[in-house]
Amino acid sequence: MPVPPAGFAVRRIGPADAGALVALAATDNLFDEDPGTAPSGTITPDGARHFLADPSVRFWLAEAGGQTVGFLHCCIQRRRTPGPWAELLLMEMGTHAEWRRRGIGRALIAEMEAWMRRNGVAEVWVPANTYAVGFYRKCGFAKDEGEILVKELH
Ligand SMILES: CC(C)(COP(=O)(O)OP(=O)(O)OC[C@H]1O[C@@H](n2cnc3c(N)ncnc32)[C@H](O)[C@@H]1OP(=O)(O)O)[C@@H](O)C(=O)NCCC(=O)NCCS
């Protein structure tokens, strides 16, 4: 196991950082609950640029010693009803398996919340996997009424 870096920094990435997203895709299994699974698959630099240029996408990386050690991806959802203009859907986040429990996940959530405060967004939703529920609770998330359902077309 590598010696962990002394510190890490979180930054929001955009289209100019497509290379970081391409690199992440090659090893994103290491950010999953089970790092033994396969990575999500190759993405092209153009595909990564288009994704990061999408106005509904917000993406933060945590980096240490030139390596990605965590990421958070959320999506801006416009609201139909009065009140804040939008809410966030936290689509995906992960901390590298060897760097968990060092405050990286909490720091990513803090950056997302700082963006929310600056932009008048008051609510964030996450379809959490069971493994991560304790983490989200520590970060102030609470269970909502109802269930999240999914349907996959074949
Ligand atoms: C969930 C995850 C992002 C947490 O990241 P992390 O960098 O380890 O989290 P932090 O170190 O910032 O932890 C913040 C707090 O949550 C707690 N915590 C972290 N993971 C936890 C877990 N799985 N269960 C319960 N508590 C947890 C920490 O102990 C810490 O508590 P403290 O501040 O009182 O000490 C990380 O475990 C991960 O990548 N999991 C695999 C992918 C995943 O499940 N993503 C979420 C998809 S919905």
Side-chain angles (χ1 to χ4, degrees):
M1 181 164 159
V3 177
F8 64 90
V10 176
R11 67 180 177 110
R12 185 172 145 206
I13 62 168
D17 303 293
L21 210 62
V22 171
L24 176 65
T27 58
D28 56 5
N29 54 314
L30 302 178
F31 297 73
D32 213 339
E33 177 183 342
D34 175 9
T37 56
S40 60
T42 309
I43 53 169
T44 64
D46 267 356
R49 250 189 309 278
H50 284 135
F51 169 78
L52 291 167
D54 186 318
S56 71
V57 167
R58 290 295 174 275
F59 205 104
W60 286 269
L61 283 186
E63 295 166 313
Q67 293 180 60
T68 294
V69 293
F71 72 94
L72 188 157
H73 161 209
C74 55
C75 179
I76 300 172
Q77 294 281 126
R78 291 297 298 253
R79 283 164 43 93
R80 178 187 62 81
T81 48
W85 64 283
E87 56 199 26
L88 285 191
L89 182 60
L90 201 172
M91 301 291 293
E92 194 187 9
M93 74 176 292
T95 297
H96 189 291
E98 288 173 352
W99 289 321
R100 289 186 189 157
R101 307 266 180 155
R102 293 164 203 263
I104 291 171
R106 202 188 269 282
L108 286 160
I109 295 279
E111 284 296 323
M112 178 193 71
E113 290 180 2
W115 181 91
M116 289 171 68
R117 287 182 210 286
R118 284 197 305 276
N119 290 279
V121 173
E123 206 162 51
V124 53
W125 297 82
V126 63
N129 64 32
T130 309
Y131 174 80
V133 166
F135 163 75
Y136 287 118
R137 285 193 185 280
K138 283 270 171 115
C139 292
F141 286 71
K143 193 163 166 38
D144 194 46
E145 296 167 3
E147 308 264 345
I148 295 181
L149 305 181
V150 65
K151 178 177 179 181
E152 201 171 332
L153 299 186
H154 299 286

